[in-house]
Amino acid sequence: MISLKKVAAFALTAGCLVLAGATVDAHAARTRTVTDLTGKKVRIPTHVKRVADLWHANNQVVLLLGGQQKLVATTPLIKHQPWFKRVDPGITKVVAPFAGQEIQVETLIKTHPDVVIAADPAQVKVARQAKLPTVNASYQDFAGLKKSVNLTAAVLGGSAPAVAKQYTQLLNHNINLVQKNLTGVKSRPTVLHIVSATDLTKVDGTKTIVNEWIRLAGGKNAVTKEGNQITVTSEEIVKANPAVIIVGQATTSQARAVVRKDATLRHLPAVKHNRVYGNPTGTFPWDRYSAEEALQVLWAAKLLHSQAMKDVNLVQETKHFYKTFYHYNLTTKQAQQILAGK
């Protein structure tokens, strides 16, 4: 016969197990799992309300997906990005937990983020060591861009996944439009992409998203080395003899002025024939890690093959993009300024 004490003990144990099970179920109901772009599975709250975005470029994706009200931490660069501030004035009030390039962990923790988004492995490590759910959204090509947008949408939840789908459709449409218009075009001018006007020997090589849009736009990268923001010599650039030079984070007038001042590069035919151009910059520079790559591929194709792309109105395309995804009505003059890199 089982004693009353044993029955009571059993009942107590069973009750504890039920309670523990209920606690686990309740915790599971409050969280979900996303897989970041490195393949790591990260547990995040079911309903994300506070996002710390430590990657400059991804802040633009959050804006595009309608999640800017959830941003509790950003980067100094984004807080001072002119067109980002114009579209989202509230970004100036968001905390930037940095001292130079270093994350201020205590400041980051005080923002109480539900999720941290980053791209730099060191930043990811620091945030995870602080016990903050952290996803790596870094990518290197257009396929990665789409995955990164979808990952950010999954983190934000709500209507963001639907917006991500709409964005992917537009990106695919623009790429397909360029490919259709360039059918039969045999010339593929060589293109040198210089990162910025501050260092003319820092360029973008193969196996990069820059290389990909150059190729999609009907060009060929003048740099044969692999990698983003790699350093080459002026002599190597002269030897490559690019037909077109594109300078990031600069207007065309700025780009031409700085290249003409270079004692070696000024003799290039591309420089003599004014085939040097600044790259458009909107809420983020179009040329790298930008959601506005959807516009970059149109701009680059029209730059390299103006006749084949004559029916594409870049001003209208830019205005349509900003209205659709940022809910911001650009004037024609503003769209022209963005296209000019101003």
Side-chain angles (χ1 to χ4, degrees):
M1 180 178 292
I2 301 175
S3 70
L4 290 176
K5 287 185 177 180
K6 288 184 178 181
V7 170
F10 176 78
L12 180 61
T13 301
C16 289
L17 289 173
V18 170
L19 182 60
T23 302
V24 171
D25 289 341
H27 177 71
R30 294 195 302 269
T31 62
R32 55 193 168 95
T33 301
V34 295
T35 303
D36 75 7
L37 267 62
T38 67
K40 183 173 179 60
K41 295 185 182 300
V42 183
R43 299 286 296 183
I44 66 174
T46 300
H47 302 292
V48 170
K49 298 180 180 179
R50 303 175 66 82
V51 177
D53 203 329
L54 307 182
W55 188 18
H56 312 302
N58 196 260
N59 280 262
Q60 180 200 45
V61 175
V62 171
L63 176 65
L64 175 137
L65 295 173
Q68 66 269 33
Q69 298 302 320
K70 296 184 178 184
L71 279 177
V72 295
T74 184
T75 72
L77 185 149
I78 289 298
K79 284 171 69 78
H80 295 96
Q81 191 75 12
W83 285 109
F84 201 114
K85 290 193 296 181
R86 176 62 65 90
V87 173
D88 178 27
I91 194 66
T92 59
K93 298 179 182 179
V94 179
V95 174
F98 289 85
Q101 298 297 318
E102 297 295 321
I103 297 176
Q104 299 299 289
V105 180
E106 289 185 3
T107 304
L108 175 61
I109 292 172
K110 286 179 181 178
T111 66
H112 303 292
D114 293 326
V115 184
V116 175
I117 301 175
D120 181 84
Q123 292 182 353
V124 172
K125 183 178 180 180
V126 168
R128 286 177 178 164
Q129 286 176 338
K131 306 301 180 184
L132 298 173
T134 305
V135 296
N136 189 327
S138 180
Y139 60 88
Q140 297 296 333
D141 52 27
F142 277 88
L145 167 59
K146 296 171 191 176
K147 291 177 182 177
S148 190
V149 170
N150 286 328
L151 169 63
T152 305
V155 168
L156 294 173
S159 62
V163 179
K165 182 178 180 180
Q166 184 182 13
Y167 170 77
T168 299
Q169 289 172 340
L170 177 68
L171 176 58
N172 289 337
H173 171 270
N174 287 355
I175 290 173
N176 292 335
L177 176 64
V178 168
Q179 292 176 328
K180 178 182 177 182
N181 286 6
L182 297 186
T183 300
V185 173
K186 293 188 168 58
S187 65
R188 295 185 67 84
T190 53
V191 179
L192 174 70
H193 184 267
I194 297 173
V195 176
S196 74
T198 59
D199 184 352
L200 299 181
T201 60
K202 187 173 285 188
V203 302
D204 290 288
T206 60
K207 295 189 177 181
T208 63
I209 198 165
V210 171
N211 183 79
E212 192 169 6
W213 61 249
I214 289 174
R215 179 181 57 79
L216 288 170
K220 181 180 179 181
N221 199 334
V223 179
T224 57
K225 294 181 179 179
E226 295 180 8
N228 284 302
Q229 303 186 40
I230 57 177
T231 298
V232 295
T233 65
S234 296
E235 289 70 28
E236 286 177 297
I237 293 175
V238 169
K239 185 177 180 181
N241 191 24
V244 175
I245 298 174
I246 297 173
V247 182
Q249 303 174 57
T251 65
T252 293
S253 59
Q254 290 169 341
R256 289 176 180 173
V258 73
V259 174
R260 286 186 188 127
K261 288 180 181 178
D262 187 279
T264 304
L265 302 185
R266 68 173 61 162
H267 301 295
L268 285 170
V271 179
K272 291 180 178 179
H273 298 138
N274 285 330
R275 295 285 281 166
V276 178
Y277 307 92
N279 205 98
T281 295
T283 57
F284 198 75
W286 286 12
D287 48 358
R288 66 178 70 251
Y289 308 121
S290 175
E292 291 173 34
E293 290 282 359
L295 297 169
Q296 173 75 10
V297 67
L298 296 178
W299 174 83
K302 186 151 186 167
L303 179 73
L304 301 181
H305 301 284
S306 58
Q307 187 59 31
M309 298 291 291
K310 66 181 186 299
D311 293 331
V312 175
N313 187 320
L314 289 172
V315 169
Q316 292 303 319
E317 292 290 343
T318 304
K319 291 171 72 172
H320 173 70
F321 186 96
Y322 271 62
K323 183 176 182 178
T324 301
F325 295 106
Y326 301 143
H327 310 291
Y328 187 88
N329 291 310
L330 288 173
T331 65
T332 295
K333 182 179 179 180
Q334 288 175 325
Q336 291 170 337
Q337 287 176 315
I338 288 172
L339 285 161
K342 294 183 179 178

